[in-house]
Amino acid sequence: MNADIVIKNISQLITIAGENRPRIGKEMSEIGLIENGVIAISNDKIIYVGQGELPKEIKVDDNTSIIDGAGKTVTPGLVDPHTHLVHGGSRENELEMKLNGAKYLDILKAGGGIHSTVRATKNASFQELYSKAKNSLDTMLEFGLTTIEAKSGYGLDTETELKQLRVAKELHKNHPVDIVSTFLGAHAIPMEYKENVEEFIDIVINDMMPKVQEEKLAEFCDVFCEDGVFTVNQTRKILNEAKKYGMKPKIHADEIEPLGGAELAAEVQAISGDHLVAATEEGMKRMAENSVIANLLPGTSFNLSMGKFANARKMIEMSVPVALSTDYNPGSCPTENIQLIMTLASLRMKMTPQEVITAVTINAASSIDRQNEIGSLVKGKKADIVIFNAPNLSYIIYHFGINHIDKVIKNGRVVVDNGKRI
Ligand code: IZC
Ligand code: ZN
């Protein structure tokens, strides 16, 4: 078979080889490391992964592009399974409010926070939302992300929710980064429904969901289950209805207050429970029993100065599969930099470099149901590959705040070179 691209002499080739499923406990440390690695690509697929020289059956000719991996670390394309990619405006006005002691949920209650992004998103045209999201997507790609999840949730009315999801769908078609969409109509209670939450939930279920399904705009449904937002009972009701429309549940669970979101994620068989900073041990136990992925977002703890991070060590010890995400959004975590998130996960949640890379590859892919196509470098999988200017995995996490990317290969094509989108 002819190779289109070969990367050879790779200092550290991290394959994450193994079964196409979320890794738990000690498996999260088994990263399939190959020193002096070589990998070959044909079209959009990986055709060989190994050590030293290519075997004879892999043919190299004048059309093959050979990349020297000496001094580099190569990993699967990174996956971000929790972002609020499509939105209007920004919220830097909240910075000084926060420095003066205002809390995230107080700002929200007062009609700011998510509500201010809802206003900006309603006022933005399709094209404006598209351009802004595209810029962020380019940045994400430059940081090594090749697949992301993107949520709606800044419309809170049918028209704007659909607009956001259509933007994500169009970007998925046109941009190298693959986007998996989540319907988050229950992201906040619109100010005008404050006294009438059930009526709003009725709109989410009976007006928004059928339209989302009709246009095939979302694969997952998420709810912000939080003190002052949606209760556990309301979240359960919304997610059970979402299942009828073919959407798989996700939950913003126990981000700030321990409401029982982790327990609910287990009960409704959510694919992931996200945040979990305040999750109880009982909740973690039930997540482990039901194979619900803990999708942790340490950038949010950092940016909200919560003084507390999710208990990743306990979760790994209890065999809850752990994934990591940026949570990219204009309020609680305005960054596209997944490498910074990897450093925060390591330094603030005590995850080892091996656990961190597992969490942003196969476990992240599993939490958007893409474990069979991406998340590891094995023959037959998609050629989504990242080449870091770093001699080893630890270096990427240790030298923090900068972008270590040399090249990104997406669907078998080099789309980032020298750290820049081409
Ligand atoms: O815009 O504040 N937590 N949703 C739930 C968010 C953060 C996004 C935002
Ligand atoms: Zn979120």
Side-chain angles (χ1 to χ4, degrees):
M1 192 181 246
N2 257 39
D4 297 322
I5 300 178
V6 172
I7 315 168
K8 59 181 199 178
N9 308 321
I10 301 166
S11 292
Q12 288 209 342
L13 171 56
I14 294 164
T15 64
I16 319 286
E19 287 179 48
N20 292 336
R21 59 166 175 81
R23 312 290 166 81
I24 56 171
K26 289 203 169 26
E27 293 170 354
M28 286 191 69
S29 307
E30 296 160 9
I31 60 171
L33 172 67
I34 302 175
E35 289 181 345
N36 187 25
V38 59
I39 183 162
I41 298 165
S42 174
N43 292 316
D44 61 343
K45 294 282 183 324
I46 296 166
I47 55 169
Y48 182 79
V49 180
Q51 191 172 40
E53 298 301 318
L54 283 176
K56 285 194 183 51
E57 61 268 25
I58 308 289
K59 305 268 183 278
V60 171
D61 61 22
D62 290 351
N63 294 324
T64 307
S65 109
I66 309 276
I67 298 171
D68 184 13
K72 316 275 191 212
T73 297
V74 172
T75 72
L78 307 181
V79 179
D80 187 344
H82 184 137
T83 86
H84 302 253
L85 174 74
V86 182
H87 59 263
S90 57
R91 310 223 296 262
E92 66 274 25
N93 63 310
E94 290 172 14
L95 175 61
E96 290 195 46
M97 293 161 75
K98 284 185 201 152
L99 294 178
N100 288 324
K103 293 273 170 273
Y104 177 86
L105 289 178
D106 296 333
I107 298 172
L108 179 66
K109 210 176 274 173
I114 294 172
H115 298 296
S116 97
T117 303
V118 167
R119 288 187 287 273
T121 306
K122 279 189 208 288
N123 285 332
S125 67
F126 180 96
Q127 204 48 50
E128 284 164 345
L129 292 177
Y130 183 96
S131 309
K132 182 171 161 61
K134 182 191 169 293
N135 284 340
S136 282
L137 216 46
D138 285 340
T139 307
M140 289 173 168
L141 183 60
E142 287 182 347
F143 277 110
L145 288 166
T146 48
T147 301
I148 69 155
E149 182 255 23
K151 302 174 194 296
S152 66
Y154 293 122
L156 311 183
D157 65 39
T158 305
E159 189 192 320
T160 315
E161 288 292 314
L162 295 177
K163 178 170 70 173
Q164 269 189 283
L165 291 169
R166 288 179 190 135
V167 167
K169 191 172 179 176
E170 194 64 17
L171 277 166
H172 172 66
K173 263 200 270 169
N174 300 340
H175 196 278
V177 173
D178 284 321
I179 301 178
V180 175
S181 286
T182 297
F183 169 59
L184 178 59
H187 189 196
I189 299 157
M191 297 304 274
E192 61 274 27
Y193 287 95
K194 250 182 157 172
E195 307 305 323
N196 217 340
V197 184
E198 292 305 321
E199 200 179 315
F200 176 66
I201 292 174
D202 185 62
I203 294 170
V204 169
I205 293 171
N206 295 312
D207 194 46
M208 297 186 194
M209 285 188 191
K211 292 180 177 145
V212 169
Q213 187 196 36
E214 200 180 301
E215 282 187 54
K216 296 193 173 57
L217 288 171
E219 191 171 328
F220 298 95
C221 180
D222 193 349
V223 176
F224 189 14
C225 179
E226 185 57 71
D227 189 28
V229 194
F230 294 94
T231 66
V232 166
N233 282 337
Q234 291 164 342
T235 304
R236 179 188 293 110
K237 176 174 170 184
I238 295 165
L239 292 176
N240 281 332
E241 292 299 323
K243 285 187 195 174
K244 298 181 192 163
Y245 288 101
M247 291 184 274
K248 292 166 264 187
K250 283 180 170 284
I251 307 181
H252 278 70
D254 301 325
E255 175 179 351
I256 299 165
E257 297 295 335
L259 288 195
E263 288 85 341
L264 181 65
E267 183 196 316
V268 300
Q269 304 266 308
I271 192 159
S272 68
D274 297 35
H275 287 290
L276 304 169
V277 176
T280 63
E281 241 183 89
E282 178 60 26
M284 294 177 205
K285 182 167 162 271
R286 293 200 203 160
M287 284 179 69
E289 285 163 1
N290 289 277
S291 304
V292 180
I293 297 168
N295 194 0
L296 308 183
L297 307 92
T300 307
S301 287
F302 169 73
N303 184 61
L304 294 182
S305 302
M306 289 170 75
K308 209 178 156 201
F309 287 76
N311 195 343
R313 284 262 55 88
K314 177 117 253 156
M315 294 179 200
I316 293 170
E317 189 188 300
M318 293 176 78
S319 292
V320 183
V322 171
L324 289 165
S325 300
T326 58
D327 195 16
Y328 170 64
N329 76 71
S332 65
C333 199
T335 183
E336 296 91 342
N337 185 347
I338 188 72
Q339 294 171 48
L340 177 60
I341 303 304
M342 291 164 70
T343 295
L344 289 172
S346 188
L347 294 179
R348 309 309 297 270
M349 303 197 299
K350 306 280 179 264
M351 289 173 70
T352 65
Q354 292 77 19
E355 289 165 346
V356 166
I357 196 69
T358 301
V360 293
T361 54
I362 193 71
N363 283 11
S366 300
S367 83
I368 47 172
D369 209 4
R370 291 294 185 277
Q371 65 282 356
N372 293 325
E373 296 89 44
I374 55 172
S376 57
L377 299 177
V378 292
K379 191 177 160 184
K381 273 198 164 175
K382 230 189 223 217
D384 290 1
I385 303 170
V386 172
I387 306 177
F388 290 94
N389 270 321
N392 55 62
L393 174 61
S394 291
Y395 189 87
I396 299 166
I397 291 168
Y398 142 87
H399 186 166
F400 77 96
I402 64 153
N403 189 359
H404 292 281
I405 293 294
D406 174 19
K407 294 180 184 19
V408 179
I409 297 172
K410 174 67 192 175
N411 290 325
R413 286 186 42 236
V414 177
V415 289
V416 173
D417 198 11
N418 268 321
K420 291 276 169 269
R421 176 99 163 80
I422 51 171

